[in-house]
Amino acid sequence: MQKTDWTQLWLKYEKKRDFGNGAYVAKAALKGFSAENRVIAHALEELNNGIYGMLGVTVRMVSDPGEASLVLVNSNDRKKEGFSLREQEGVLTLSAADENGLLYGVFHLLRLIAMEKPLEGIRQVVDPDDPLRMYDHWDNMDGSIERGYSGESFFFRQDEILVNRRTRDYARFVASIGINGVVINNVNVKQAATWLITERYFKVLAALSEIFADYGIRLYLSLNYAAPLELGGPDSADPLNPEVRHWWERKMEEVFAEIPNLGGFLVKADSEGRPGPFTYGRTQAEGANMLADAVKPFGGIIIWRCFVYNCTQDWRDQKTDRARAGYDNFIAQDGDYRDNVILQIKNGPMDFQIREPVSPLLGGLRRTNQMLEVQVAQEYTGQQIDICYLIPLFKEVLDFHTCCGEVCDTVSDLISGRTYGNTNTGIAAVCNTGDDGNWTGNDLAAANFYGFGRLAFCHGLDPEEIAEEWIRLSLSNDADVVEKVKGILLGSRRTYEKYTCPLGIGWMVAPNTHYGCSVDGYEYSRWGTYHRADHLGLGVDRSSRGTGYAQQYHEPNASMYNEPETCPEELLLFFHHVPYTHRLKSGKTLIQHIYDTHFEGVAEVEEMIRVWESLEGKVPESAYRTVRERFDRQLYNAREWRDQVNSYFYRKSGIEDEQGREIY
Ligand code: GCU
């Protein structure tokens, strides 16, 4: 085999203890599936390689299912893309609804073997929660990655598209965790990327999409709303202009003819300088529907982002509230969107902070397809230098009761289609990969890459369980490693929050790069991201007495957030301007809480490092070194945050730390 300079992440297929598992997989048969089908063929290839690598057994395909110990059955009692795994009297049956279900079932089986779980007596049924489970890459065609922390793009270099063995490995990885759609280019579509829907790139895009198709993944592209103007079409992008509509219809005919495995498009319009329908005095719905009509004949979908806000705010203006913008810009047209439009909503109303409430648009919209967007790339959450296992955060969002109805009111219900019975729903994450050898810069950040897919497939999974899977598959089955790394991962989000962001305030971060502390970095900027600290207190009043944002929620959430007494404390400063002397439920004052959590955050990083060091020799050497080196940078970062935040609020408030620790 040709050597590669990248790791195989959680698909390492290294030697494992057998526990009788080898006997089940020695002879396999297909029933109701054809080995000619490309997805089935690749599932079988994976099965072969995996079993051989882990158990040293060569899987023999037999034509008579009665002779097989592993039967791969096409069965219509499973949900689309679902599968079940059952062992009875020495025969293992993997039933799947369709080829994707079979592929996911095979990866699941390989996962169990890799984790050294005995297959005897197994009975598992797994149906995906989200119909659409997507990774969005913010890769630019020059090879850079917007908010990328793991090297350069492996999709693009110097305005060309790369299609090689790494593309296939990427497809295998994401298929193994159940991803069925991938956007390869940045939502900010500029320059060469605008030309992705032209002849210049059709051939190679088709080749790339074929690799994706081998693993049941559809290719999606981010689209430039102003493409007609930039590609020599009409001199307008007005969605109600017949010429513009016609241009898009012809364009889509051409594109879908050339790239058959295309799922559709992701659009960032009227946001942070990107063009959109507002330029022509049209609504977001009018813009989205025009594109939806053009892709409809080809079964395409338009994923339209709701990240629309005024990014040229005057910081003196205390009425305008960026948090309100998503809801204010989209709620009025609820119900006006075509069936093949999905509104993609960031989990919080601001922008992927370590702590935000759930966006009130989720559950606010009742007659529009909704999709959740989260960020696995650690833009505001440590940039893959600091450890921050994000799956608990995503899980909290999924479990949130929007109170949009009596039943089925969680975000999980909404995006899985349970609430309104719709199927164009799902979840997308901004991906954290690049061309680094370990794919994610920090080896531990791969737990997020892995975990997002697992959680998207099964909302019911516990983040702890997902962490354990990832550790066993990627680092070791050794109990000490599993327990210790799990401890590091599960505590990491809380720790990061402690040294960066007290009680939901957010944004005290270095402008532009978004790494490192700068308490006033955004305080006098145009971005709508303020902490409003003065000598008496801090926080943003988003209650009915302030910007009114809390009123965008359904009751009883609206009232709960509206009052400092009932507002969940972890979000207190997001919703309220609070005096430093305010007593929290712990009995501590707000200022003391800020001091304490910042000291604790640094101490916790020091402890994580001690734990990691005890694993030297027990985890793969290169992972050990890389993570160890990143920890030094995290510790430096955490100390800076602690000392800058504590000194800032000490100087503002003049209130001493009760414990007399060093503050500057
Ligand atoms: C953030 C991020 C940008 C990104 C934007 C988006 O603001 O910093 O780089 O383009 O989100 O989600 O569109």
Side-chain angles (χ1 to χ4, degrees):
M1 247 214 225
Q2 180 197 338
K3 260 195 107 42
T4 56
D5 59 359
W6 57 85
T7 71
Q8 287 297 307
L9 292 172
W10 52 85
L11 298 182
K12 296 204 289 193
Y13 301 150
E14 285 170 347
K15 190 92 192 82
K16 299 291 164 184
R17 287 176 295 177
D18 187 300
F19 294 117
N21 289 343
Y24 293 108
V25 288
K27 268 197 234 169
L30 290 173
K31 201 171 153 185
F33 279 122
S34 158
E36 313 275 282
N37 174 294
R38 66 197 301 170
V39 177
I40 306 292
H42 285 91
L44 293 178
E45 178 182 273
E46 206 67 34
L47 183 72
N48 265 304
N49 292 342
I51 299 295
Y52 186 76
M54 293 191 286
L55 302 177
V57 173
T58 307
V59 182
R60 200 152 63 79
M61 295 304 292
V62 294
S63 50
D64 177 5
E67 269 181 33
S69 47
L70 171 63
V71 189
L72 309 165
V73 195
N74 190 346
S75 125
N76 51 18
D77 51 295
R78 290 269 53 78
K79 199 172 142 188
K80 192 167 180 258
E81 299 184 300
F83 65 88
S84 69
L85 198 58
R86 282 200 183 81
E87 189 274 342
Q88 212 178 354
E89 293 170 17
V91 177
L92 193 61
T93 307
L94 173 56
S95 311
D98 45 34
E99 66 254 36
N100 276 23
L102 187 84
L103 178 70
Y104 302 145
V106 163
F107 276 119
H108 189 71
L109 175 61
L110 293 171
R111 194 154 48 225
L112 294 171
I113 293 171
M115 294 193 293
E116 302 184 332
K117 304 272 184 207
L119 297 168
E120 194 187 336
I122 196 158
R123 286 185 89 79
Q124 291 186 348
V125 180
V126 189
D127 285 325
D129 277 297
D130 289 315
L132 272 166
R133 305 172 300 276
M134 300 184 56
Y135 260 131
D136 294 352
H137 290 261
W138 286 359
D139 293 23
N140 298 315
M141 291 201 66
D142 63 3
S144 63
I145 301 178
E146 177 146 349
R147 312 306 177 187
Y149 313 105
S150 326
E152 299 268 290
S153 173
F154 51 81
F155 289 123
F156 306 110
R157 185 178 302 152
Q158 295 178 338
D159 291 350
E160 295 301 335
I161 299 170
L162 306 174
V163 181
N164 52 39
R165 193 149 156 224
R166 191 153 183 154
T167 322
R168 188 167 289 278
D169 273 348
Y170 168 80
R172 292 172 52 238
F173 296 147
V174 299
S176 77
I177 50 172
I179 298 292
N180 61 5
V182 172
V183 181
I184 56 171
N185 65 308
N186 189 359
V187 285
N188 296 312
V189 186
K190 296 176 192 166
Q191 288 120 16
T194 303
W195 293 78
L196 282 170
I197 51 168
T198 68
E199 231 177 38
R200 191 191 288 179
Y201 295 111
F202 283 153
K203 252 210 171 78
V204 56
L205 273 179
L208 187 142
S209 88
E210 292 291 314
I211 293 182
F212 281 4
D214 285 345
Y215 298 91
I217 302 161
R218 292 216 139 189
L219 171 71
Y220 291 77
L221 296 173
S222 293
L223 201 65
N224 182 345
Y225 187 81
L229 292 118
E230 292 183 35
L231 297 179
D235 204 17
S236 163
D238 179 351
L240 300 190
N241 177 332
E243 249 187 279
V244 173
R245 298 181 67 86
H246 185 69
W247 185 88
W248 276 115
E249 281 157 17
R250 300 306 302 273
K251 178 47 81 185
M252 290 307 170
E253 262 171 39
E254 191 191 342
V255 172
F256 279 89
E258 297 286 345
I259 318 169
N261 184 39
L262 189 67
F265 297 92
L266 174 64
V267 189
K268 171 176 180 176
D270 290 312
S271 170
E272 302 185 329
R274 304 316 300 145
F278 281 169
T279 312
Y280 304 92
R282 310 299 185 193
T283 65
Q284 297 294 297
E286 285 165 331
N289 289 345
M290 168 191 64
L291 294 172
D293 290 342
V295 302
K296 175 100 181 168
F298 318 101
I301 60 168
I302 296 297
I303 302 170
W304 189 269
R305 298 178 82 227
C306 296
F307 189 56
V308 178
Y309 69 99
N310 171 9
C311 66
T312 55
Q313 186 176 334
D314 184 338
W315 57 267
R316 298 167 191 85
D317 167 8
Q318 307 237 6
K319 289 269 172 318
T320 306
D321 179 4
R322 171 167 163 180
R324 292 188 58 113
Y327 190 94
D328 285 344
N329 281 312
F330 284 89
I331 204 70
Q333 278 97 44
D334 185 20
D336 292 351
Y337 293 86
R338 301 278 191 268
D339 279 352
N340 61 330
V341 173
I342 308 178
L343 293 188
Q344 183 164 294
I345 306 165
K346 288 191 183 188
N347 61 276
M350 297 296 280
D351 192 8
F352 301 137
Q353 302 299 290
I354 190 72
R355 178 76 63 180
E356 283 186 52
V358 168
S359 167
L361 256 188
L362 290 158
L365 296 166
R366 292 179 186 276
R367 291 171 296 138
T368 304
N369 297 322
Q370 302 169 46
M371 189 157 169
L372 175 66
E373 179 177 342
V374 296
Q375 198 184 37
V376 163
Q378 288 173 244
E379 175 178 359
Y380 295 98
T381 54
Q383 305 203 347
Q384 286 140 249
I385 297 166
D386 302 30
I387 313 283
C388 192
Y389 178 57
L390 292 163
I391 309 306
L393 188 163
F394 303 159
K395 177 81 171 172
E396 267 170 33
V397 174
L398 290 175
D399 289 347
F400 177 74
H401 286 277
T402 66
C403 300
C404 65
E406 302 269 293
V407 290
C408 288
D409 70 331
T410 64
V411 172
S412 161
D413 293 324
L414 284 161
I415 65 168
S416 60
R418 283 189 293 270
T419 312
Y420 300 119
N422 43 350
T423 49
N424 273 340
T425 59
I427 189 166
V430 182
C431 199
N432 65 348
T433 52
D435 71 356
D436 277 358
N438 64 4
W439 296 84
T440 54
N442 188 326
D443 295 73
L444 293 184
N448 290 327
F449 182 31
Y450 175 84
F452 166 73
R454 295 288 291 130
L455 187 66
F457 209 87
C458 287
H459 293 175
L461 284 176
D462 187 329
E464 178 171 351
E465 205 178 327
I466 295 175
E468 172 156 348
E469 282 183 8
W470 177 80
I471 297 162
R472 287 174 170 277
L473 299 172
S474 313
L475 298 176
S476 170
N477 276 315
D478 177 276
D480 189 42
V481 174
V482 172
E483 283 318 304
K484 286 180 171 162
V485 179
K486 220 159 71 174
I488 290 175
L489 290 175
L490 289 172
S492 60
R493 184 240 184 154
R494 252 293 198 248
T495 299
Y496 188 81
E497 182 179 22
K498 279 186 179 177
Y499 63 80
T500 58
C501 171
L503 307 181
I505 193 69
W507 296 107
M508 301 188 301
V509 69
N512 308 319
T513 66
H514 299 166
Y515 186 78
C517 182
S518 176
V519 179
D520 278 341
Y522 275 113
E523 197 56 16
Y524 307 101
S525 77
R526 63 180 174 91
W527 294 97
T529 47
Y530 315 111
H531 55 63
R532 308 283 190 207
D534 58 24
H535 68 297
L536 296 173
L538 87 150
V540 185
D541 185 357
R542 294 191 162 104
S543 73
S544 51
R545 300 163 295 275
T547 72
Y549 164 77
Q551 264 40 62
Q552 293 183 335
Y553 291 88
H554 295 295
E555 286 297 353
N557 290 339
S559 301
M560 171 184 74
Y561 288 133
N562 204 58
E563 304 305 325
E565 295 73 35
T566 51
C567 180
E569 224 159 45
E570 63 211 12
L571 288 168
L572 188 61
L573 301 178
F574 189 95
F575 283 98
H576 299 280
H577 187 88
V578 177
Y580 296 118
T581 50
H582 173 88
R583 289 257 165 223
L584 299 171
K585 294 190 182 100
S586 61
K588 289 180 186 176
T589 58
L590 171 61
I591 189 77
Q592 194 57 40
H593 173 87
I594 293 175
Y595 296 149
D596 287 354
T597 48
H598 282 79
F599 282 109
E600 283 162 25
V602 173
E604 286 171 18
V605 175
E606 286 165 345
E607 178 56 22
M608 285 200 262
I609 296 176
R610 271 192 292 279
V611 174
W612 185 252
E613 285 181 336
S614 75
L615 296 176
E616 187 170 10
K618 291 185 137 191
V619 295
E621 173 69 13
S622 75
Y624 177 79
R625 296 236 155 277
T626 308
V627 174
R628 182 64 194 80
E629 175 268 337
R630 301 266 157 151
F631 266 134
D632 279 339
R633 292 159 70 187
Q634 176 170 7
L635 183 58
Y636 176 84
N637 187 40
R639 285 187 178 140
E640 282 305 312
W641 273 94
R642 176 195 64 193
D643 292 339
Q644 289 191 33
V645 169
N646 284 348
S647 303
Y648 181 95
F649 289 106
Y650 171 62
R651 292 176 191 182
K652 279 250 148 144
S653 69
I655 301 174
E656 300 282 341
D657 170 32
E658 284 167 5
Q659 297 193 41
R661 291 163 291 197
E662 184 139 44
I663 293 178
Y664 303 86

